[in-house]
Amino acid sequence: DRPVRVTFRTEELESLCPAVEGTQPDIYCAEIAYTALTHAIESKSLKLWLVTFRDRRIFAEHLALEIHDHLAAHEPAVGDVVVRLVQNARGGITTVVEHPPPA
């Protein structure tokens, strides 16, 4: 009937580090939020799609953009897509990537 705000959270998003040879995984806590204007995104479909990144070499910055752009492409059914990735600490540093950037 009316728009609703939906937020998905997972600690199971993985990809492969593109800067290291071998199979060094990058593990993320991901928060994906959007406004369902006319349709909602099915959580199972989202989960199955996110699993496909497990075998891809991709930097966090590119991963956040790809997730954002894929979901935002469903406009006008959904809007105001925001993706926030928190990469598990490596070398004592935690990386946080958000798109679009906070105002």
Side-chain angles (χ1 to χ4, degrees):
D1 290 351
R2 293 168 279 174
V4 295
R5 189 73 179 159
V6 179
T7 302
F8 295 115
R9 290 187 183 101
T10 182
E11 296 181 7
E12 299 177 4
L13 178 59
E14 291 185 33
S15 65
L16 293 175
C17 178
V20 176
E21 290 188 37
T23 55
Q24 170 105 16
D26 286 334
I27 302 170
Y28 300 91
C29 293
E31 185 171 288
I32 301 165
Y34 71 97
T35 301
L37 299 170
T38 61
H39 290 79
I41 296 168
E42 181 189 32
S43 61
K44 182 178 179 181
S45 296
L46 178 68
K47 172 70 174 181
L48 292 173
W49 178 64
L50 291 175
V51 168
T52 67
F53 290 101
R54 186 179 299 157
D55 298 321
R56 287 197 44 206
R57 295 187 179 281
I58 188 168
F59 288 107
E61 297 83 354
H62 297 133
L63 180 57
L65 290 172
E66 186 167 332
I67 293 169
H68 174 275
D69 293 350
H70 180 79
L71 298 177
H74 294 284
E75 291 182 292
V78 302
D80 191 26
V81 177
V82 176
V83 175
R84 183 174 193 266
L85 303 180
V86 179
Q87 188 178 53
N88 282 8
R90 181 177 297 161
I93 297 174
T94 300
T95 303
V96 179
V97 179
E98 296 179 60
H99 186 74

